[in-house]
mmCIF file of all heavy atoms in Angstrom:
data_model
loop_
_atom_site.group_PDB
_atom_site.id
_atom_site.type_symbol
_atom_site.label_atom_id
_atom_site.label_comp_id
_atom_site.label_asym_id
_atom_site.label_seq_id
_atom_site.Cartn_x
_atom_site.Cartn_y
_atom_site.Cartn_z
ATOM 1 N N ALA A 1 83.953 50.677 5.335
ATOM 2 C CA ALA A 1 85.180 51.471 5.304
ATOM 3 C C ALA A 1 84.869 52.945 5.068
ATOM 4 O O ALA A 1 85.477 53.833 5.685
ATOM 5 C CB ALA A 1 86.119 50.942 4.223
ATOM 6 N N LYS A 2 83.907 53.221 4.185
ATOM 7 C CA LYS A 2 83.532 54.620 3.933
ATOM 8 C C LYS A 2 82.877 55.237 5.166
ATOM 9 O O LYS A 2 83.125 56.411 5.494
ATOM 10 C CB LYS A 2 82.573 54.688 2.742
ATOM 11 C CG LYS A 2 82.223 56.112 2.321
ATOM 12 C CD LYS A 2 81.303 56.128 1.120
ATOM 13 C CE LYS A 2 81.041 57.563 0.666
ATOM 14 N NZ LYS A 2 80.516 58.435 1.724
ATOM 15 N N ALA A 3 82.039 54.465 5.856
ATOM 16 C CA ALA A 3 81.363 54.985 7.045
ATOM 17 C C ALA A 3 82.374 55.334 8.136
ATOM 18 O O ALA A 3 82.299 56.406 8.752
ATOM 19 C CB ALA A 3 80.344 53.963 7.554
ATOM 20 N N VAL A 4 83.330 54.434 8.383
ATOM 21 C CA VAL A 4 84.346 54.700 9.403
ATOM 22 C C VAL A 4 85.206 55.903 9.005
ATOM 23 O O VAL A 4 85.510 56.768 9.832
ATOM 24 C CB VAL A 4 85.230 53.451 9.616
ATOM 25 C CG1 VAL A 4 86.397 53.774 10.551
ATOM 26 C CG2 VAL A 4 84.402 52.311 10.196
ATOM 27 N N SER A 5 85.572 55.977 7.738
ATOM 28 C CA SER A 5 86.385 57.092 7.256
ATOM 29 C C SER A 5 85.653 58.416 7.423
ATOM 30 O O SER A 5 86.244 59.419 7.862
ATOM 31 C CB SER A 5 86.746 56.870 5.785
ATOM 32 O OG SER A 5 87.394 57.994 5.253
ATOM 33 N N ASP A 6 84.355 58.435 7.112
ATOM 34 C CA ASP A 6 83.577 59.672 7.239
ATOM 35 C C ASP A 6 83.491 60.129 8.691
ATOM 36 O O ASP A 6 83.593 61.334 8.983
ATOM 37 C CB ASP A 6 82.173 59.471 6.670
ATOM 38 C CG ASP A 6 82.183 59.291 5.152
ATOM 39 O OD1 ASP A 6 83.210 59.638 4.526
ATOM 40 O OD2 ASP A 6 81.173 58.799 4.606
ATOM 41 N N VAL A 7 83.303 59.181 9.602
ATOM 42 C CA VAL A 7 83.202 59.535 11.025
ATOM 43 C C VAL A 7 84.531 60.090 11.532
ATOM 44 O O VAL A 7 84.581 61.107 12.238
ATOM 45 C CB VAL A 7 82.769 58.315 11.856
ATOM 46 C CG1 VAL A 7 82.886 58.615 13.350
ATOM 47 C CG2 VAL A 7 81.348 57.921 11.502
ATOM 48 N N VAL A 8 85.626 59.422 11.181
ATOM 49 C CA VAL A 8 86.944 59.862 11.640
ATOM 50 C C VAL A 8 87.247 61.275 11.145
ATOM 51 O O VAL A 8 87.723 62.138 11.906
ATOM 52 C CB VAL A 8 88.033 58.879 11.155
ATOM 53 C CG1 VAL A 8 89.426 59.447 11.414
ATOM 54 C CG2 VAL A 8 87.884 57.533 11.850
ATOM 55 N N LYS A 9 86.959 61.532 9.882
ATOM 56 C CA LYS A 9 87.271 62.843 9.311
ATOM 57 C C LYS A 9 86.342 63.928 9.847
ATOM 58 O O LYS A 9 86.788 65.056 10.117
ATOM 59 C CB LYS A 9 87.180 62.779 7.780
ATOM 60 C CG LYS A 9 88.238 61.892 7.149
ATOM 61 C CD LYS A 9 88.046 61.785 5.644
ATOM 62 C CE LYS A 9 89.092 60.885 5.008
ATOM 63 N NZ LYS A 9 88.896 60.725 3.538
ATOM 64 N N SER A 10 85.058 63.604 10.018
ATOM 65 C CA SER A 10 84.105 64.617 10.488
ATOM 66 C C SER A 10 84.304 64.966 11.959
ATOM 67 O O SER A 10 84.048 66.099 12.378
ATOM 68 C CB SER A 10 82.672 64.127 10.263
ATOM 69 O OG SER A 10 82.403 62.959 11.027
ATOM 70 N N LYS A 11 84.758 64.020 12.773
ATOM 71 C CA LYS A 11 84.945 64.255 14.210
ATOM 72 C C LYS A 11 86.358 64.697 14.553
ATOM 73 O O LYS A 11 86.639 65.011 15.717
ATOM 74 C CB LYS A 11 84.618 62.975 14.987
ATOM 75 C CG LYS A 11 83.195 62.483 14.802
ATOM 76 C CD LYS A 11 82.166 63.498 15.276
ATOM 77 C CE LYS A 11 80.753 62.964 15.104
ATOM 78 N NZ LYS A 11 79.733 63.953 15.581
ATOM 79 N N GLY A 12 87.256 64.705 13.565
ATOM 80 C CA GLY A 12 88.625 65.129 13.841
ATOM 81 C C GLY A 12 89.468 64.096 14.550
ATOM 82 O O GLY A 12 90.484 64.441 15.157
ATOM 83 N N PHE A 13 89.074 62.823 14.467
ATOM 84 C CA PHE A 13 89.875 61.765 15.081
ATOM 85 C C PHE A 13 91.100 61.474 14.211
ATOM 86 O O PHE A 13 91.158 61.832 13.034
ATOM 87 C CB PHE A 13 89.052 60.485 15.249
ATOM 88 C CG PHE A 13 87.840 60.645 16.125
ATOM 89 C CD1 PHE A 13 86.683 59.920 15.883
ATOM 90 C CD2 PHE A 13 87.851 61.526 17.197
ATOM 91 C CE1 PHE A 13 85.575 60.067 16.689
ATOM 92 C CE2 PHE A 13 86.738 61.676 18.015
ATOM 93 C CZ PHE A 13 85.590 60.953 17.754
ATOM 94 N N ILE A 14 92.088 60.815 14.796
ATOM 95 C CA ILE A 14 93.282 60.457 14.020
ATOM 96 C C ILE A 14 93.175 59.042 13.444
ATOM 97 O O ILE A 14 93.899 58.697 12.514
ATOM 98 C CB ILE A 14 94.565 60.572 14.870
ATOM 99 C CG1 ILE A 14 94.516 59.590 16.045
ATOM 100 C CG2 ILE A 14 94.757 61.994 15.346
ATOM 101 C CD1 ILE A 14 95.809 59.532 16.837
ATOM 102 N N ALA A 15 92.279 58.234 13.999
ATOM 103 C CA ALA A 15 92.136 56.860 13.525
ATOM 104 C C ALA A 15 90.782 56.314 13.955
ATOM 105 O O ALA A 15 90.097 56.911 14.802
ATOM 106 C CB ALA A 15 93.252 55.959 14.046
ATOM 107 N N GLY A 16 90.428 55.186 13.367
ATOM 108 C CA GLY A 16 89.171 54.549 13.723
ATOM 109 C C GLY A 16 89.178 53.100 13.277
ATOM 110 O O GLY A 16 89.956 52.706 12.402
ATOM 111 N N ALA A 17 88.312 52.289 13.864
ATOM 112 C CA ALA A 17 88.257 50.873 13.523
ATOM 113 C C ALA A 17 86.874 50.337 13.822
ATOM 114 O O ALA A 17 86.108 50.925 14.596
ATOM 115 C CB ALA A 17 89.310 50.084 14.289
ATOM 116 N N GLY A 18 86.561 49.219 13.204
ATOM 117 C CA GLY A 18 85.280 48.585 13.451
ATOM 118 C C GLY A 18 85.264 47.179 12.875
ATOM 119 O O GLY A 18 86.000 46.875 11.928
ATOM 120 N N VAL A 19 84.432 46.322 13.459
ATOM 121 C CA VAL A 19 84.300 44.933 13.017
ATOM 122 C C VAL A 19 82.826 44.583 12.979
ATOM 123 O O VAL A 19 82.080 44.906 13.899
ATOM 124 C CB VAL A 19 85.044 43.958 13.952
ATOM 125 C CG1 VAL A 19 84.918 42.534 13.441
ATOM 126 C CG2 VAL A 19 86.503 44.354 14.103
ATOM 127 N N ILE A 20 82.395 43.922 11.900
ATOM 128 C CA ILE A 20 81.031 43.405 11.799
ATOM 129 C C ILE A 20 81.125 41.885 11.794
ATOM 130 O O ILE A 20 81.787 41.290 10.936
ATOM 131 C CB ILE A 20 80.337 43.905 10.521
ATOM 132 C CG1 ILE A 20 80.208 45.431 10.552
ATOM 133 C CG2 ILE A 20 78.966 43.256 10.376
ATOM 134 C CD1 ILE A 20 79.548 46.006 9.307
ATOM 135 N N VAL A 21 80.451 41.253 12.767
ATOM 136 C CA VAL A 21 80.520 39.813 12.962
ATOM 137 C C VAL A 21 79.135 39.214 12.827
ATOM 138 O O VAL A 21 78.151 39.781 13.299
ATOM 139 C CB VAL A 21 81.116 39.479 14.349
ATOM 140 C CG1 VAL A 21 81.185 37.968 14.544
ATOM 141 C CG2 VAL A 21 82.496 40.091 14.498
ATOM 142 N N ASP A 22 79.050 38.071 12.171
ATOM 143 C CA ASP A 22 77.806 37.315 12.094
ATOM 144 C C ASP A 22 77.638 36.578 13.422
ATOM 145 O O ASP A 22 78.393 35.653 13.731
ATOM 146 C CB ASP A 22 77.873 36.324 10.934
ATOM 147 C CG ASP A 22 76.540 35.624 10.679
ATOM 148 O OD1 ASP A 22 75.696 35.573 11.606
ATOM 149 O OD2 ASP A 22 76.339 35.124 9.559
ATOM 150 N N ILE A 23 76.651 37.003 14.217
ATOM 151 C CA ILE A 23 76.487 36.437 15.562
ATOM 152 C C ILE A 23 76.056 34.975 15.527
ATOM 153 O O ILE A 23 76.180 34.258 16.524
ATOM 154 C CB ILE A 23 75.468 37.260 16.386
ATOM 155 C CG1 ILE A 23 74.091 37.245 15.694
ATOM 156 C CG2 ILE A 23 75.954 38.678 16.570
ATOM 157 C CD1 ILE A 23 72.992 37.887 16.523
ATOM 158 N N ARG A 24 75.565 34.507 14.377
ATOM 159 C CA ARG A 24 75.124 33.116 14.292
ATOM 160 C C ARG A 24 76.288 32.157 14.071
ATOM 161 O O ARG A 24 76.252 31.012 14.534
ATOM 162 C CB ARG A 24 74.105 32.969 13.158
ATOM 163 C CG ARG A 24 72.824 33.753 13.368
ATOM 164 C CD ARG A 24 72.023 33.830 12.091
ATOM 165 N NE ARG A 24 72.765 34.527 11.035
ATOM 166 C CZ ARG A 24 72.296 34.748 9.811
ATOM 167 N NH1 ARG A 24 71.087 34.309 9.489
ATOM 168 N NH2 ARG A 24 73.017 35.390 8.915
ATOM 169 N N THR A 25 77.308 32.628 13.358
ATOM 170 C CA THR A 25 78.432 31.745 13.025
ATOM 171 C C THR A 25 79.769 32.239 13.566
ATOM 172 O O THR A 25 80.734 31.480 13.601
ATOM 173 C CB THR A 25 78.558 31.605 11.496
ATOM 174 O OG1 THR A 25 78.836 32.895 10.928
ATOM 175 C CG2 THR A 25 77.271 31.066 10.893
ATOM 176 N N GLY A 26 79.829 33.500 13.973
ATOM 177 C CA GLY A 26 81.088 34.069 14.434
ATOM 178 C C GLY A 26 81.990 34.517 13.303
ATOM 179 O O GLY A 26 83.131 34.938 13.544
ATOM 180 N N GLU A 27 81.523 34.441 12.047
ATOM 181 C CA GLU A 27 82.333 34.857 10.905
ATOM 182 C C GLU A 27 82.449 36.381 10.848
ATOM 183 O O GLU A 27 81.472 37.098 11.099
ATOM 184 C CB GLU A 27 81.716 34.354 9.601
ATOM 185 C CG GLU A 27 81.723 32.843 9.453
ATOM 186 C CD GLU A 27 81.038 32.406 8.168
ATOM 187 O OE1 GLU A 27 80.116 33.123 7.708
ATOM 188 O OE2 GLU A 27 81.421 31.359 7.619
ATOM 189 N N VAL A 28 83.630 36.839 10.511
ATOM 190 C CA VAL A 28 83.861 38.273 10.340
ATOM 191 C C VAL A 28 83.433 38.654 8.929
ATOM 192 O O VAL A 28 84.009 38.188 7.951
ATOM 193 C CB VAL A 28 85.345 38.625 10.567
ATOM 194 C CG1 VAL A 28 85.585 40.108 10.294
ATOM 195 C CG2 VAL A 28 85.768 38.267 11.981
ATOM 196 N N ARG A 29 82.423 39.501 8.824
ATOM 197 C CA ARG A 29 81.911 39.917 7.520
ATOM 198 C C ARG A 29 82.600 41.191 7.019
ATOM 199 O O ARG A 29 82.683 41.416 5.814
ATOM 200 C CB ARG A 29 80.400 40.151 7.599
ATOM 201 C CG ARG A 29 79.611 38.903 7.922
ATOM 202 C CD ARG A 29 79.738 37.870 6.814
ATOM 203 N NE ARG A 29 78.963 36.671 7.080
ATOM 204 C CZ ARG A 29 77.700 36.519 6.747
ATOM 205 N NH1 ARG A 29 77.053 37.508 6.153
ATOM 206 N NH2 ARG A 29 77.073 35.395 7.009
ATOM 207 N N ALA A 30 83.068 42.034 7.926
ATOM 208 C CA ALA A 30 83.770 43.263 7.538
ATOM 209 C C ALA A 30 84.685 43.677 8.680
ATOM 210 O O ALA A 30 84.328 43.528 9.857
ATOM 211 C CB ALA A 30 82.785 44.374 7.204
ATOM 212 N N LEU A 31 85.853 44.155 8.320
ATOM 213 C CA LEU A 31 86.829 44.611 9.315
ATOM 214 C C LEU A 31 87.550 45.817 8.734
ATOM 215 O O LEU A 31 88.129 45.730 7.648
ATOM 216 C CB LEU A 31 87.819 43.501 9.665
ATOM 217 C CG LEU A 31 88.793 43.774 10.803
ATOM 218 C CD1 LEU A 31 89.153 42.470 11.514
ATOM 219 C CD2 LEU A 31 90.078 44.425 10.292
ATOM 220 N N VAL A 32 87.467 46.936 9.454
ATOM 221 C CA VAL A 32 88.031 48.191 8.946
ATOM 222 C C VAL A 32 89.016 48.769 9.950
ATOM 223 O O VAL A 32 88.751 48.797 11.154
ATOM 224 C CB VAL A 32 86.916 49.226 8.660
ATOM 225 C CG1 VAL A 32 87.513 50.572 8.277
ATOM 226 C CG2 VAL A 32 86.008 48.720 7.547
ATOM 227 N N SER A 33 90.149 49.188 9.445
ATOM 228 C CA SER A 33 91.134 49.931 10.225
ATOM 229 C C SER A 33 91.506 51.168 9.416
ATOM 230 O O SER A 33 92.031 51.057 8.302
ATOM 231 C CB SER A 33 92.380 49.084 10.501
ATOM 232 O OG SER A 33 93.358 49.850 11.183
ATOM 233 N N PHE A 34 91.206 52.337 9.960
ATOM 234 C CA PHE A 34 91.473 53.595 9.244
ATOM 235 C C PHE A 34 92.439 54.456 10.063
ATOM 236 O O PHE A 34 92.267 54.586 11.268
ATOM 237 C CB PHE A 34 90.168 54.358 9.018
ATOM 238 C CG PHE A 34 90.357 55.642 8.265
ATOM 239 C CD1 PHE A 34 90.386 55.647 6.884
ATOM 240 C CD2 PHE A 34 90.527 56.839 8.945
ATOM 241 C CE1 PHE A 34 90.575 56.832 6.183
ATOM 242 C CE2 PHE A 34 90.722 58.017 8.264
ATOM 243 C CZ PHE A 34 90.740 58.015 6.869
ATOM 244 N N PRO A 35 93.464 54.998 9.427
ATOM 245 C CA PRO A 35 93.809 54.897 8.000
ATOM 246 C C PRO A 35 94.500 53.574 7.678
ATOM 247 O O PRO A 35 95.078 52.940 8.546
ATOM 248 C CB PRO A 35 94.762 56.071 7.796
ATOM 249 C CG PRO A 35 95.427 56.225 9.126
ATOM 250 C CD PRO A 35 94.378 55.901 10.152
ATOM 251 N N SER A 36 94.437 53.191 6.414
ATOM 252 C CA SER A 36 95.074 51.966 5.953
ATOM 253 C C SER A 36 96.106 52.321 4.889
ATOM 254 O O SER A 36 96.388 53.489 4.648
ATOM 255 C CB SER A 36 94.027 51.000 5.399
ATOM 256 O OG SER A 36 94.617 49.764 5.060
ATOM 257 N N TYR A 37 96.669 51.302 4.241
ATOM 258 C CA TYR A 37 97.646 51.510 3.181
ATOM 259 C C TYR A 37 97.215 50.763 1.935
ATOM 260 O O TYR A 37 96.422 49.813 2.001
ATOM 261 C CB TYR A 37 99.039 51.044 3.615
ATOM 262 C CG TYR A 37 99.115 49.593 4.006
ATOM 263 C CD1 TYR A 37 99.276 48.588 3.044
ATOM 264 C CD2 TYR A 37 99.010 49.207 5.343
ATOM 265 C CE1 TYR A 37 99.329 47.245 3.404
ATOM 266 C CE2 TYR A 37 99.069 47.862 5.704
ATOM 267 C CZ TYR A 37 99.230 46.897 4.733
ATOM 268 O OH TYR A 37 99.277 45.572 5.080
ATOM 269 N N ASP A 38 97.723 51.189 0.801
ATOM 270 C CA ASP A 38 97.420 50.545 -0.473
ATOM 271 C C ASP A 38 98.403 49.398 -0.695
ATOM 272 O O ASP A 38 99.602 49.625 -0.860
ATOM 273 C CB ASP A 38 97.531 51.560 -1.615
ATOM 274 C CG ASP A 38 97.059 50.994 -2.958
ATOM 275 O OD1 ASP A 38 96.923 49.771 -3.065
ATOM 276 O OD2 ASP A 38 96.838 51.792 -3.892
ATOM 277 N N PRO A 39 97.935 48.152 -0.701
ATOM 278 C CA PRO A 39 98.855 47.019 -0.874
ATOM 279 C C PRO A 39 99.538 47.004 -2.239
ATOM 280 O O PRO A 39 100.614 46.422 -2.390
ATOM 281 C CB PRO A 39 97.963 45.796 -0.677
ATOM 282 C CG PRO A 39 96.582 46.281 -0.959
ATOM 283 C CD PRO A 39 96.550 47.708 -0.532
ATOM 284 N N ASN A 40 98.924 47.635 -3.243
ATOM 285 C CA ASN A 40 99.564 47.715 -4.558
ATOM 286 C C ASN A 40 100.837 48.548 -4.487
ATOM 287 O O ASN A 40 101.847 48.225 -5.122
ATOM 288 C CB ASN A 40 98.601 48.330 -5.578
ATOM 289 C CG ASN A 40 97.366 47.476 -5.811
ATOM 290 O OD1 ASN A 40 97.446 46.364 -6.294
ATOM 291 N ND2 ASN A 40 96.216 48.004 -5.434
ATOM 292 N N VAL A 41 100.794 49.618 -3.691
ATOM 293 C CA VAL A 41 101.977 50.472 -3.519
ATOM 294 C C VAL A 41 103.067 49.730 -2.752
ATOM 295 O O VAL A 41 104.242 49.767 -3.129
ATOM 296 C CB VAL A 41 101.590 51.773 -2.791
ATOM 297 C CG1 VAL A 41 102.841 52.584 -2.443
ATOM 298 C CG2 VAL A 41 100.643 52.601 -3.632
ATOM 299 N N MET A 42 102.682 49.018 -1.711
ATOM 300 C CA MET A 42 103.668 48.328 -0.885
ATOM 301 C C MET A 42 104.320 47.176 -1.641
ATOM 302 O O MET A 42 105.528 46.943 -1.515
ATOM 303 C CB MET A 42 103.009 47.809 0.388
ATOM 304 C CG MET A 42 102.434 48.898 1.285
ATOM 305 S SD MET A 42 103.668 50.147 1.730
ATOM 306 C CE MET A 42 104.895 49.143 2.536
ATOM 307 N N SER A 43 103.556 46.457 -2.460
ATOM 308 C CA SER A 43 104.130 45.334 -3.199
ATOM 309 C C SER A 43 105.108 45.802 -4.262
ATOM 310 O O SER A 43 106.149 45.188 -4.478
ATOM 311 C CB SER A 43 103.019 44.503 -3.850
ATOM 312 O OG SER A 43 102.250 43.839 -2.872
ATOM 313 N N SER A 44 104.762 46.906 -4.939
ATOM 314 C CA SER A 44 105.630 47.418 -6.002
ATOM 315 C C SER A 44 106.791 48.235 -5.465
ATOM 316 O O SER A 44 107.737 48.513 -6.198
ATOM 317 C CB SER A 44 104.808 48.259 -6.979
ATOM 318 O OG SER A 44 104.223 49.370 -6.319
ATOM 319 N N GLY A 45 106.728 48.630 -4.183
ATOM 320 C CA GLY A 45 107.823 49.410 -3.584
ATOM 321 C C GLY A 45 107.812 50.871 -3.967
ATOM 322 O O GLY A 45 108.826 51.561 -3.818
ATOM 323 N N GLY A 46 106.722 51.391 -4.390
ATOM 324 C CA GLY A 46 106.673 52.795 -4.756
ATOM 325 C C GLY A 46 105.269 53.207 -5.174
ATOM 326 O O GLY A 46 104.367 52.379 -5.282
ATOM 327 N N PRO A 47 105.084 54.507 -5.342
ATOM 328 C CA PRO A 47 106.066 55.594 -5.242
ATOM 329 C C PRO A 47 106.592 55.781 -3.818
ATOM 330 O O PRO A 47 105.844 55.605 -2.847
ATOM 331 C CB PRO A 47 105.274 56.825 -5.700
ATOM 332 C CG PRO A 47 104.075 56.285 -6.428
ATOM 333 C CD PRO A 47 103.752 54.993 -5.796
#
């Protein structure tokens, strides 16, 4: 997530995404969508 965020900000992009998959099992080890939202804020309804 930090790597994708750094690339988006340094290149002036508005968004970025990436997926890391274990090619042996097909399991998703990491999935990033930038920008994202804080689920703690959304669950509590604020600020």
Side-chain angles (χ1 to χ4, degrees):
K2 185 179 184 305
V4 173
S5 173
D6 292 343
V7 171
V8 170
K9 294 176 181 178
S10 63
K11 300 299 181 179
F13 300 147
I14 63 173
V19 182
I20 297 179
V21 180
D22 187 338
I23 61 173
R24 296 166 298 181
T25 62
E27 294 177 330
V28 176
R29 296 296 181 88
L31 187 150
V32 174
S33 176
F34 181 85
S36 185
Y37 59 84
D38 187 345
N40 296 296
V41 173
M42 298 305 301
S43 292
S44 61

